Amino acid sequence: MGSGGLSSGAECLRFMIYSINLLMVICSFALIVLCGFCLGKHDLMVDLLGESTAWVVISIIMVTAVIVFLVSLLGCCGAMKENDCMLKTYICIIFTLLLTLLILAGLAYGYKDPTRDIVYEHMKGKMMEYNPDESNSTITTVWDDMQSWVNCCGIDNYTDWSQYCNYYHNNSTNSTSGPLFPDSCLIEGSNDPYDKGCLDTAEYWLHSNIWILVGIIAGCAASMVMAMCCVCWLIRSIDKYDQFDLPQHRDTVIYT
């Protein structure tokens, strides 16, 4: 069946499907980049935080975004070939992905407080293993790099070091003149530590950029709904064309 047999309205609809799928590709790609930034750029923080619920959710959202990216290509091919089987498959997959995206977004929001507690306990456990005399230690390197890069000190504040870290706790209890926190806590050009903890700083960054993630997810969801509506309309137009065209085609074959 050629595209020339469809009405001008259906042809316009095909163009809309292309545009919507392009929007889905852009939104899903942006979501992939954002999740990749969290998992890749902050690889040291991920190693420190462990496989917490927050990072697992980010990974799942990233996989979902990749699937949306690939499925949008299916929609383009189905519209190009006017294949109702491909388009119906496309609708089923998109509907499933939409439900998955909404469920994951709800889980990410609902488990934000338990996630903080999990991350806090994990960071506290890693802080106990910190030793500035072991410069080649992964834990020491991760903490120093994170505090220098994020401009933070400790989990909640610099007093966490003397409270949780065995090395600095011994200095505080023995009343020695030794330091009570790592050098990476010091503000550049000063002997004073950063007053904000690393966990609070990370939370502030997430809260400051949460609307970016919400906007991307909302854009993907809206484009999915629009795509399903347009594809349903296109399938209906294709079915009507088949019912109208096939009898005429049979008559042409008979009289020829």
Side-chain angles (χ1 to χ4, degrees), residues 180-194:
L180 299 179
F181 44 79
D183 292 339
S184 57
C185 277
L186 297 176
I187 300 174
E188 187 175 358
S190 173
N191 291 325
D192 298 325
Y194 294 106

Side-chain angles (χ1 to χ4, degrees), residues 54-163:
W55 299 110
V56 173
V57 170
I58 290 176
S59 301
I60 295 175
I61 293 177
M62 185 174 183
V63 171
T64 304
V66 172
I67 295 175
V68 171
F69 181 87
L70 297 176
V71 171
S72 63
L73 298 179
L74 176 63
C76 289
C77 294
M80 181 184 301
K81 296 180 178 297
E82 301 174 15
N83 189 311
D84 59 346
C85 181
M86 293 179 64
L87 292 174
K88 289 176 182 178
T89 303
Y90 171 81
I91 290 177
C92 293
I93 296 176
I94 288 295
F95 181 75
T96 304
L97 289 176
L98 178 60
L99 290 180
T100 302
L101 188 62
L102 295 177
I103 291 173
L104 291 177
L107 289 175
Y109 180 80
Y111 283 91
K112 62 180 186 300
D113 292 334
T115 297
R116 189 190 192 283
D117 296 336
I118 294 174
V119 172
Y120 186 94
E121 291 299 323
H122 193 88
M123 293 180 71
K124 185 172 70 174
K126 295 300 181 181
M127 182 178 282
M128 293 178 182
E129 303 176 22
Y130 182 93
N131 190 334
D133 295 332
E134 300 176 359
S135 57
N136 294 328
S137 171
T138 302
I139 299 300
T140 301
T141 302
V142 166
W143 267 109
D144 287 339
D145 289 347
M146 180 179 64
Q147 293 185 140
S148 300
W149 184 73
V150 183
N151 296 335
C152 60
C153 184
I155 305 174
D156 290 327
N157 52 59
Y158 69 91
T159 60
D160 293 331
W161 286 105
S162 59
Q163 183 178 358

Side-chain angles (χ1 to χ4, degrees), residues 232-247:
C232 286
W233 191 5
L234 181 59
I235 291 174
R236 184 179 179 184
S237 299
I238 293 174
D239 290 341
K240 284 184 176 181
Y241 174 79
D242 288 340
Q243 294 174 3
F244 176 78
D245 182 68
L246 288 179

